[in-house]
């Protein structure tokens, strides 16, 4: 098999597509022949060493958090899956031709959904679903979503709308028309944001999701009247403002998609594909991801 790896921290040039030993699934695991893998901001941050405590990885590190593909091997004690099943799910190291994952974390790919579309869903949908639950968004709430045109922001905005909330979303002007088509009220981010939001919601907002990490927590707390209903998934300074940070999954993925997948199939939740790249062009994909000016998700395709 081949897998994207890096042996030192740095820019996209440290990435290489290496031949590695094909793994065998253990108890409760399946091996997936990857057809597509999502690209996430975490990939670039980890590659640059932002989460590391050492000067270089102890051994070459793998890339990727999610994928879609076809089950091609079963480990012992696996029920509910068969070789040939089309699936998607969270899968560390998924920028590869094959990946081994816990069988219990996979979701069956609907026949009408492409592998590219399926690979774009796991991280964004799990994160958005988790945060909307944490914020306890209800009908009639006014929700402010920072980076509303990004993958997580888009899904969170649409989930909030599906609950009957009103959503104001920060985004660059190029994405305003698209956000409006979803029912989101777009505002430009940057200086004067509080004034622009108050022009739409004079009494402030009920809840805030920060998916941008662009130093928006102080204005978010101001607009929400306190930190209790502000959650960030992107700003490590959250504790300075009394804001909750949510970094990791708290529900099994199949449980998340019991709610989210029907909304995707109905078109209530849409995930645009910003760009696709073959696995061999993972460096270019991560470079584009790092610009932060995307609508939806970047996906790697595997031949």
């Amino acid at each position: 098999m081949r897998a994207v790896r890096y042996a030192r921290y740095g820019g996209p040039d440290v990435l290489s597509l290496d031949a590695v030993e094909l793994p065998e699934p253990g108890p409760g695991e399946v091996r997936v022949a990857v057809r597509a893998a999502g690209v996430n901001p975490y990939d670039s941050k980890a590659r640059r060493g932002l989460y590391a405590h050492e000067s270089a990885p102890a051994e070459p590190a793998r890339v990727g958090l999610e994928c879609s593909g076809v089950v091609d091997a079963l480990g012992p004690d696996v029920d509910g899956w068969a070789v040939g099943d089309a699936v998607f799910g969270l899968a560390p190291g998924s920028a590869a031709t094959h990946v081994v994952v816990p069988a219990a974390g996979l979701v069956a790919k609907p026949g009408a959904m492409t592998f590219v579309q399926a690979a774009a869903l796991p991280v964004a949908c799990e994160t958005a679903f988790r945060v909307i639950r944490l914020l306890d968004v209800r009908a009639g709430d006014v929700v402010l979503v920072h980076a509303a045109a990004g993958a997580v922001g888009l899904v969170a905005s649409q989930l909030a709308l599906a609950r009957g909330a009103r959503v104001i979303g920060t985004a660059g002007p190029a994405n305003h028309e698209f956000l409006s088509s979803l029912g989101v009220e777009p505002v430009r981010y940057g200086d004067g944001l509080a004034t622009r939001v108050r022009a739409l919601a004079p009494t402030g907002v009920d809840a805030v999701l920060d998916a941008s990490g662009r130093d928006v927590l102080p204005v978010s707390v101001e607009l929400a009247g306190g930190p209790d209903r502000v959650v960030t998934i992107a700003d490590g300074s959250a504790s300075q403002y009394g804001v909750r940070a949510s970094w990791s999954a708290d529900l099994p993925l199949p449980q998340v998609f019991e709610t989210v997948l029907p909304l995707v199939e109905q078109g209530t939740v849409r995930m645009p594909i910003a760009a696709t790249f073959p696995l061999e062009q993972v460096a270019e994909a991560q470079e584009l991801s790092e610009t932060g000016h995307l609508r939806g998700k970047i996906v790697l395709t595997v031949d």
Side-chain angles (χ1 to χ4, degrees):
M1 62 169 283
R2 296 177 299 157
V4 177
R5 305 193 301 177
Y6 54 93
R8 57 189 175 90
Y9 300 121
D13 59 297
V14 304
L15 298 171
S16 59
L17 185 57
D18 301 334
V20 299
E21 185 177 353
L22 185 67
E24 293 298 327
E29 296 179 331
V30 302
R31 189 175 66 211
V32 175
V34 178
R35 298 291 181 83
V39 176
N40 293 280
Y42 174 89
D43 299 325
S44 297
K45 293 175 181 178
R47 186 204 70 228
R48 288 190 277 123
L50 296 188
Y51 307 117
H53 300 289
E54 66 282 338
S55 59
E59 56 185 40
R62 295 275 295 273
V63 172
L65 296 174
E66 61 190 337
C67 73
S68 63
V70 176
V71 175
D72 82 339
L74 304 174
D77 305 319
V78 170
D79 295 318
W81 298 112
V83 171
D85 286 346
V87 296
F88 65 95
L90 298 172
S94 57
T97 58
H98 297 78
V99 66
V100 169
V101 295
L106 291 173
V107 179
K109 184 186 77 65
M113 183 180 291
T114 69
F115 284 105
V116 167
Q117 290 169 329
L121 296 178
V123 169
C125 289
E126 186 284 321
T127 305
F129 184 81
R130 169 176 18 113
V131 174
I132 292 299
R133 285 174 66 245
L134 280 174
L135 290 171
D136 192 25
V137 173
R138 302 179 183 184
D141 280 351
V142 180
V143 181
L144 174 62
V145 178
H146 294 292
V152 174
L154 276 172
V155 177
S157 295
Q158 292 172 92
L159 291 178
L161 289 168
R163 290 190 175 203
R166 178 186 173 199
V167 177
I168 299 171
T170 67
N175 288 313
H176 284 197
E177 183 177 353
F178 173 71
L179 290 174
S180 294
S181 75
L182 299 178
V184 177
E185 299 170 57
V187 294
R188 180 173 53 83
Y189 48 74
D191 292 343
L193 176 62
T195 300
R196 291 190 292 277
V197 172
R198 288 193 186 280
L200 296 172
T203 60
V205 302
D206 299 297
V208 182
L209 161 59
D210 168 31
S212 74
R214 294 185 179 132
D215 195 27
V216 294
L217 295 185
V219 69
S220 298
V221 171
E222 174 192 341
L223 289 166
D228 292 349
R229 293 190 73 191
V230 180
V231 173
T232 182
I233 62 167
D235 195 327
S237 66
S239 60
Q240 297 178 31
Y241 306 100
V243 168
R244 286 178 292 176
S246 184
W247 307 120
S248 58
D250 63 358
L251 283 177
L253 201 68
Q255 189 172 334
V256 171
F257 277 96
E258 283 179 9
T259 299
V260 176
L261 191 56
L263 297 176
V264 174
E265 294 183 288
Q266 295 161 14
T268 302
V269 171
R270 289 188 278 162
M271 173 62 78
I273 304 302
T276 61
F277 292 84
L279 185 63
E280 293 79 4
Q281 294 180 17
V282 61
E284 290 89 337
Q286 288 196 7
E287 283 184 306
L288 178 59
S289 175
E290 288 184 281
T291 68
H293 298 293
L294 302 170
R295 178 188 300 172
K297 201 68 178 269
I298 299 171
V299 176
L300 300 170
T301 58
V302 180
D303 184 359

